[in-house]
Amino acid sequence: MMRVTFNADAVFAALDKPRAELSDLQPVYEDIGSYMVKATRERFPKGEAPDGTRWRQKSPVTLAQYLRRGDGNRPSPLIGPSGRLGREITATAASDGVEIGSSLIYSAVMQFGAQQGAFGRSKRRTPLPWGDIPARPFLGLSRDDERTIIEIVDDHLEEVIGDDRGAD
C-alpha cells in the first residue's frame, strides 16, 4: 500500500482572505445598487421599460387636467409636474441583497398600473383613480443591466481573488 500526504496549509491560508471578504457581499450589492439607480433614472427621459418597450403615452384627459391645474404640458410618461418619481429612485444594500425602488406612495401604481376605482372612492364619491392607469414598468433588469451586473461581480471577484488566469 502506498500513502501520499498532501500539505494544503498554504492553499487554505491563501483562501482565507477571499473567504472572509466574500462572506459579506454588501460592497458588491452597493455597487449593483448604484448602477441600477443610474440605469433606472436614465429610462425616464427615454420613456421605456427595462425590456425596451415604450411606455404608453399619457391620455388626452390627463394632459388636459395638467393644463387646467396650471402644471403645463407634460406629455412624457411618468414625468409629472414634480418630476419626483424619476429623481427619487434609491437603492438599499445589505450583505444578502439589494433593493431598488421608490418610497413614493404612487410608485407601485406607475409600475403595475391600476383600474379606475381600484382604490375606492374619494370624499366627493369619484373613483380612485379617476381613470385607468396603464402599467409603465420602470423597475427591472434589461439585458444590458444583466451584463453590467455580471461585470460588477467579476470586478469584485478579481479584486478579492486576483486575476491569475494568464499566469504560468
Side-chain angles (χ1 to χ4, degrees), residues 149-159 165:
I149 289 169
I150 290 169
E151 290 172 11
I152 290 169
V153 172
D154 269 354
D155 290 346
H156 277 272
L157 286 173
E158 284 180 15
E159 287 176 24
R165 288 178 274 195

Side-chain angles (χ1 to χ4, degrees), residues 3 44 62 140 143 167:
R3 179 179 223 169
F44 281 78
T62 299
R143 290 193 189 275

Side-chain angles (χ1 to χ4, degrees), residues 16-89:
D16 282 343
K17 180 183 179 228
R19 185 181 302 124
E21 290 192 32
L22 290 175
S23 67
D24 178 13
L25 294 176
Q26 186 162 344
V28 177
Y29 290 125
E30 286 172 352
D31 287 353
I32 291 169
S34 294
Y35 164 77
M36 284 306 302
V37 165
K38 180 179 177 281
T40 302
R41 287 178 178 170
E42 288 174 354
R43 291 194 232 293
F44 281 78
K46 296 175 187 175
E48 66 182 35
D51 68 3
T53 59
R54 304 284 301 165
W55 291 329
R56 283 201 32 210
Q57 294 297 309
K58 292 176 182 170
S59 75
V61 174
T62 299
L63 293 173
Q65 193 171 58
Y66 281 165
L67 289 172
R68 197 170 33 257
R69 289 190 318 221
D71 290 331
N73 185 16
R74 301 188 182 273
S76 298
L78 295 188
I79 301 177
S82 72
R84 288 180 61 196
L85 184 59
R87 284 195 323 267
E88 295 188 25
I89 303 298

Side-chain angles (χ1 to χ4, degrees), residues 117-135:
F119 307 118
R121 297 199 166 268
S122 71
K123 291 178 184 177
R124 292 184 285 172
R125 307 298 304 148
T126 58
L128 297 172
W130 53 268
D132 291 343
I133 299 173

